[in-house]
Amino acid sequence: MPTDSSATWNAIILAAGEGTRMKSSLPKVLHEIAGRALVSWVVRTAIDAGASRCVVVVGHGQDDVERELVTRFGPRVKTVLQPEQRGTGDAVRCAIEADAALEGRLVVLYGDCPLIPAGLVRDLAERSEQAGADLGLVTATLPDPTGYGRIVRSGAGDVQRIVEDRDCSADERAIREVNPGLYAVRADFLREALAQLTPDNAQGQLYLTDVVELAASRGKVVDLEGDMADLTGVNDQGDLSMAASTHRRRMAEELARNGVGVADLDTLYIDAECQIEPGATLGANVHLRGRCVVREGAHIDVGCVLTNVTVERDAKVLPYTVAADSTIGEGALVGPFSHLRPQTELGPRSKVGNFSETKKTTLGAGSKVNHLSYVGDGVIGKDVNIGAGTIFCNYDGEGKHTTVLEDGVFIGSDTQLIAPVTVKKGAYVASGTTVTRDVPEDALAVSRSKQENKEGYAARLRARLRNKKKPGRD
Ligand code: UD1
Ligand code: CA
C-alpha cells in the first residue's frame, strides 16, 4: 500500500511512573542505554518518525526528567504533569486535557521502550490514518509472555481487547501474543474512550489498554506485527542490561556494515551521540563515551576509554589509553597507557607515549612526550621533544601556572619545569635540570652538580663491607 508521507501526527510519551521494579533512586526513564536516557531514546524515535508535536507526560522525578528533555531537545518537546500515577490511561488523559493542540492522529509510546525503530512508528501512524481506524496497534509474539498485556482475538482473528498480565484468566495467560505498547489513535475517539475507563482491575488503575476494547466494538482497529526484539519494555535492571546488549550489538553491526573496522562485535561500547566515520578501525573492548568523533583512517586499539574526544584522520590510539575532553590531531600517536585529561589538544603528527599524563595542554605539530611525563597547563610549540620523566610543576599549592615551550625546544630527561616559566625557541634544557627561570632563545639551561669520578672507590668500598660481615651470617 502506498504511504502518504505528508500525513501529520502528534506523539504522547508516557514517562511519569516511578519504576519500583528497578530498585533504584533514579526515575526509571532516566536510566541510560549508551549514554542516553530511556525517555530520550523514545522521544528521538518519535521525532525521527515524523511527529509534528511531542508531549511527554512526567510525574515521578519531574524536575530531573524535564531537565534531561530540555538539555537534549530544547523547546521542541513539551511536558505535561500527571500529578498522581493512576495508570497509563490517566497519563494520556492528562496530556490531552492539558494540550489543546493534541488533535488528529496521536501516537502513544511508553517511555520505557527504548529500541523501537522509527520506521515502525511511522508505518503504524500512516496505516492507521489511511484505514480511517479509530485505533492502530502493534502486537508481537513471545515464547514467554509473562508481564505483558495479552492480545485477545475473536474467532475471526480480529483484535478484541487487551488483558493485563495480572488480570488474566488461566486461558488468557497462555496467550503468547502480547501488547508491546505502541498505539496510533484518533484524538476525538480517544477523548471519548478515556472518559469511560474505570479502575476495576487488579491494580486499581485506569488502563490505556482498555481503550482497545472500545475501539474494537466499533470495528475500527488496525494491527501490525512487530518484532519483540525491538519492542522490549524495561521494567527491571535485567531488562535494562538486555536492552543495552541488544542495542550495542546492533550498533556494532551497523558500523561494520557502513565501513568501520570492528575487531569484536560483542565488546564495543559506543554512546549514542558519538560519530565514527567509515574507514576508522576500532579494537576490542573500546569504550567511546559522550560525544566522540573518530575520523576516517583513525585507529583506536584495544581497551581504550575515550570521553568527548575527537580523533582526527589517521591518528592511532594504542591500547589502554584513557582520554577525556580532548582532541588528537591528524596522524598523531597516543599510548599505550597514556592519560589525556581535559583540554588536551594534540597537534598533527604529535606523540604522547606510555605512562604520560597531559592536562590543559596544547602540543604543536610533530612534538613528542614519549615516556613517563606529566605535562599540565602547557603551551608547547612545534617539533618540541620532551624527554622521559619530565614534570611540569604547574601547581604551587594555591594556583595553576603555565609552562611555555616554544618551537624546536629540547627538554632532556628528568627535567622539572617550575611554572610559570618559558623556554624560548630552539633552547636546550639538560637532563636532570630544575628550570626556575625563563631560558633564552637557543640557550642551554643546566642546573645540576658537576659529576666527580673517584677511581677505584667502588672496589675499596666493597672490600670494606665484605670484611665487616660476620662469618656464617648473611
Ligand atoms: C504496559 C501495558 C501492557 C504492555 C506493557 C508493554 C498498560 C495498562 N499496560 O504495562 O499491556 O504489555 O506496558 O511494555 O498500559 N506511566 C505513566 N503514568 C502512570 C503509569 C505508567 O506515565 O500512571 C508510564 C510509565 O512511566 C512507563 C509506561 O507508562 O514509561 C508504562 O508503564 P508500566 O507501569 O511500565 O506498564 P507495564 O506494566 O509495563
Ligand atoms: Ca513497562
Side-chain angles (χ1 to χ4, degrees), residues 321-336:
T321 289
V322 175
D325 304 309
S326 296
T327 302
I328 297 173
E330 193 169 325
L333 185 64
V334 178

Side-chain angles (χ1 to χ4, degrees), residues 21 28 110 112-113 233-235:
R21 288 168 281 182
K28 174 167 76 176
Y110 295 155
D112 63 354
C113 298
V234 170
N235 292 322

Side-chain angles (χ1 to χ4, degrees), residues 117-378:
L120 180 64
V121 176
R122 195 180 307 122
D123 249 26
L124 180 70
E126 290 177 359
R127 291 219 213 160
S128 307
E129 194 55 24
Q130 280 155 8
D134 283 340
L135 183 141
L137 81 166
V138 170
T139 75
T141 301
L142 272 178
D144 175 12
T146 310
Y148 288 95
R150 309 294 205 281
I151 306 291
V152 179
R153 290 187 183 263
S154 66
D158 298 325
V159 172
Q160 276 186 317
R161 61 192 173 91
I162 294 176
V163 52
E164 287 306 295
D165 189 58
R166 297 207 225 175
D167 299 296
C168 278
S169 66
D171 283 352
E172 288 163 345
R173 186 153 290 123
I175 298 173
R176 293 192 301 119
E177 190 184 11
V178 302
N179 169 36
L182 176 56
Y183 322 85
V185 203
R186 267 188 36 230
D188 48 359
F189 159 75
L190 189 59
R191 279 172 212 278
E192 228 182 283
L194 290 172
Q196 296 177 44
L197 294 185
T198 55
D200 50 357
N201 51 56
Q203 300 187 76
Q205 292 194 336
L206 298 173
Y207 287 165
L208 177 61
T209 41
D210 287 349
V211 161
V212 173
E213 186 169 8
L214 291 166
S217 67
R218 295 157 54 127
K220 291 187 175 164
V221 173
V222 158
D223 64 287
L224 292 189
E225 201 183 330
D227 177 351
M228 206 57 210
D230 297 333
L231 298 164
T232 334
V234 170
N235 292 322
D236 60 25
Q237 299 284 352
D239 295 334
L240 183 69
S241 302
M242 307 259 278
S245 294
T246 304
H247 164 72
R248 268 202 308 275
R249 172 80 194 197
R250 283 183 182 177
M251 176 262 322
E253 279 180 26
E254 196 183 311
L255 284 175
R257 298 219 185 276
N258 286 336
V260 174
V262 174
D264 180 2
L265 291 171
D266 291 317
T267 62
L268 201 50
Y269 299 76
I270 301 187
D271 278 0
E273 317 296 339
C274 292
Q275 187 198 331
I276 321 293
E277 291 184 358
T281 51
L282 305 174
N285 202 15
V286 161
H287 295 243
L288 301 177
R289 298 177 178 162
R291 291 170 185 273
C292 289
V293 177
V294 182
R295 303 259 182 237
E296 183 187 346
H299 172 65
I300 319 282
D301 215 320
V302 61
C304 290
V305 182
L306 311 187
T307 308
N308 302 323
V309 173
T310 297
V311 184
E312 298 290 1
R313 286 171 73 111
D314 302 324
K316 307 250 172 300
V317 186
L318 299 181
Y320 304 106
T321 289
V322 175
D325 304 309
S326 296
T327 302
I328 297 173
E330 193 169 325
L333 185 64
V334 178
F337 300 104
S338 300
H339 187 190
L340 310 184
R341 289 169 50 210
Q343 297 181 56
T344 295
E345 307 288 329
L346 305 184
R349 301 175 316 286
S350 62
K351 289 186 185 174
V352 174
N354 45 191
F355 310 111
S356 288
E357 172 182 345
T358 63
K359 187 220 75 172
K360 200 175 178 189
T361 286
T362 56
L363 191 63
S367 291
K368 299 173 189 166
V369 191
N370 273 340
H371 328 271
L372 298 148
S373 293
Y374 173 62
V375 173
D377 298 287

Side-chain angles (χ1 to χ4, degrees), residues 58-76:
V58 297
H60 190 83
Q62 177 189 4
D63 293 346
D64 294 337
V65 176
E66 284 182 342
R67 194 171 317 115
E68 158 72 16
L69 293 170
V70 166
T71 318
R72 293 263 181 202
F73 302 104
R76 66 199 298 193

